[in-house]
Amino acid sequence: MKNKKNATGVMLVLCALLIVSFKNIGNNTVPPAKDTATNGGLFLPGKFKAVVVVDSLEGRARHIAVNTNGDIYVKLRFPDSIGGNVALRDTNGDGRADIIKKFANYEDKGPYGTGMRVHKGYLYFSSEANVYRTKLNPQTLVPDAPLELILHDATAPHEHDAKPLAFDNAGHMYVAFGAPSNACQEQNRVPGSKGIKGCPLLQQYGGIWQFDEAKPNQVQTDGIRYATGMRSVVAMDWNTADNCLYVVAHGRDDLRLQFPKIFSAWQSAVLPAEEFIKVKRALM
């Protein structure tokens, strides 16, 4: 694994529930909007423009995915009895969502459902314990196919069980399994408690596992441990240009609270940094 410079939020472009679409990025073009001069309150470089697609989305957005027809699917942090996802559609070309529909009433409604991906005609998304997929229908905004359970985490819920998703070009799905611990201490989050030598948690947690992207009802032991040593991965994507996985990972919390004689308040606030990481398969 090779660390890149800090990039907190590089892969998470949702802030204060403001979702924006940008004009003329790559081959995707968003129609001009009436309020692009304001850029939704953002300061953007050069000729970049932005328009507010939807504001104050109930349930707090975690990740988003955009279909080839422009429909947007949002994974909510806080699902309710209606569902844990939201579908958005712009019907008049002004860049704003005119249709907003909540869907996917799955059972495991913890507060850290994370992943949302459109892949090979399916919508994949994750809760704390599961990865689901449903077939997209070109005629409907909300998928009308049944949910398929692709992966189940029998140990959830626990700390850092968000499950961002990524897919390569060879039929594999990548899923993070965060560590149920702050820093692998003998007593979790107890001030002064020492770290456990070798951190046995890393055998099952604190890394990324590779799975079959289409096989139903997989569990963690069906996968291959692809990378280790990352306590809490919150975003992942596969770069087709160099055929490699990139992630954003959170470092441990509360250095000063746990070890006040060693770390200052400033060090606790900025170290260790949240990191943008290029990941290559671990040899284990």
Side-chain angles (χ1 to χ4, degrees):
M1 294 178 289
K2 183 179 179 181
N3 291 354
K4 299 295 184 180
K5 64 180 181 180
N6 298 343
T8 303
V10 168
M11 299 172 71
L12 298 176
V13 200
L14 294 176
C15 182
L17 304 184
L18 178 70
I19 303 175
V20 296
S21 56
F22 293 90
K23 294 175 59 182
N24 301 325
I25 299 180
N27 295 322
N28 299 318
T29 300
V30 176
K34 296 178 181 178
D35 65 346
T36 51
T38 64
N39 287 328
L42 300 176
F43 293 94
L44 301 175
K47 296 182 179 180
F48 283 96
K49 302 292 182 183
V51 57
V52 178
V53 177
V54 62
D55 194 8
S56 302
L57 193 63
E58 182 181 356
R60 299 187 187 178
R62 292 281 284 179
H63 280 189
I64 64 173
V66 182
N67 202 2
T68 53
N69 66 351
D71 289 341
I72 300 172
Y73 296 95
V74 184
K75 187 75 200 68
L76 298 178
R77 176 172 179 180
F78 297 108
D80 59 20
S81 59
I82 301 175
N85 304 333
V86 171
L88 309 173
R89 176 173 285 176
D90 170 21
T91 61
N92 59 13
D94 67 354
R96 299 181 181 86
D98 308 300
I99 302 175
I100 303 173
K101 291 187 176 181
K102 190 177 292 186
F103 68 100
N105 185 24
Y106 52 83
E107 293 182 358
D108 48 315
K109 292 186 172 71
Y112 284 100
T114 300
M116 180 66 78
R117 290 285 184 183
V118 173
H119 180 66
K120 292 184 179 179
Y122 286 88
L123 183 68
Y124 287 77
F125 61 90
S126 65
S127 65
E128 289 182 341
N130 296 312
V131 176
Y132 301 99
R133 78 172 185 176
T134 181
K135 185 72 173 177
L136 289 167
N137 183 344
Q139 306 303 317
T140 63
L141 171 61
V142 174
D144 52 12
L147 286 183
E148 297 179 57
L149 177 62
I150 301 299
L151 174 66
H152 174 62
D153 177 5
T155 67
H158 56 72
E159 281 191 87
H160 314 128
D161 54 9
K163 289 180 172 57
L165 310 172
F167 300 88
D168 62 18
N169 299 319
H172 300 126
M173 175 179 71
Y174 299 84
V175 182
F177 283 77
S181 170
N182 178 38
C184 207
Q185 294 168 272
E186 294 175 351
Q187 294 177 283
N188 189 36
R189 297 188 183 276
V190 173
S193 179
K194 296 179 180 180
I196 303 173
K197 186 176 181 180
C199 191
L201 288 174
L202 292 178
Q203 293 299 316
Q204 188 175 359
Y205 304 101
I208 297 168
W209 271 253
Q210 181 194 77
F211 298 91
D212 186 317
E213 67 182 29
K215 182 181 178 181
N217 300 314
Q218 296 174 90
V219 294
Q220 188 176 7
T221 53
D222 292 320
I224 297 171
R225 187 166 58 152
Y226 190 82
T228 189
M230 288 169 285
R231 162 188 179 273
S232 178
V233 175
V234 293
M236 299 194 297
D237 204 0
W238 188 268
N239 186 340
T240 57
D242 66 355
N243 207 35
C244 199
L245 186 66
Y246 288 79
V247 309
V248 173
H250 282 173
R252 63 184 179 180
D253 304 321
D254 302 327
L255 293 178
R256 180 168 175 79
L257 180 63
Q258 303 301 317
F259 305 101
K261 295 182 180 180
I262 300 175
F263 297 100
S264 68
W266 183 88
Q267 289 172 317
S268 186
V270 301
L271 299 173
E274 320 301 353
E275 295 176 322
F276 184 31
I277 306 169
K278 180 177 181 179
V279 178
K280 295 183 180 180
R281 182 176 175 180
L283 299 177
M284 292 175 283

